[in-house]
Amino acid sequence: MEKIEKSKDVWKGTKFWTDQIKDAGVYNKIKHFNDVITGKEAPHPQGYGDPVLTDIVLDGKRCDIYHTDKKPGDSGHRIYIHIKE
């Protein structure tokens, strides 16, 4: 059976990633969020659209940040961090 290697980045949690975003100085450039998902693949464009921030260094890695809250009235409070390195 093939062993699947899981990314440890996913398990760092919302607080860790929020602190990283604050340390990068871009927290105020993102709409409110209270949930963070990370991955090595770009998210499906239907749910996230284009990134709101690109090439941000978080945890020493180059990342893009996507947000589900795209239109007036959206209640999505989730960001997706695409870890590109």
Side-chain angles (χ1 to χ4, degrees), residues 15-75:
K15 181 178 179 345
F16 173 84
W17 289 111
T18 300
D19 290 344
Q20 288 291 305
I21 291 166
K22 287 178 180 177
D23 290 347
V26 296
Y27 183 79
N28 291 331
K29 295 181 180 184
I30 305 172
K31 291 182 180 181
H32 171 74
F33 65 93
N34 58 15
D35 190 21
V36 177
I37 297 174
T38 63
K40 303 269 182 176
E41 301 290 327
H44 191 280
Q46 186 174 10
Y48 288 92
D50 294 328
V52 292
L53 296 170
T54 58
D55 296 327
I56 305 300
V57 177
L58 305 174
D59 196 28
K61 299 171 185 138
R62 192 169 50 93
C63 303
D64 290 345
I65 300 176
Y66 296 76
H67 201 298
T68 55
D69 191 357
K70 291 290 191 183
K71 299 175 229 162
D74 279 354
S75 61

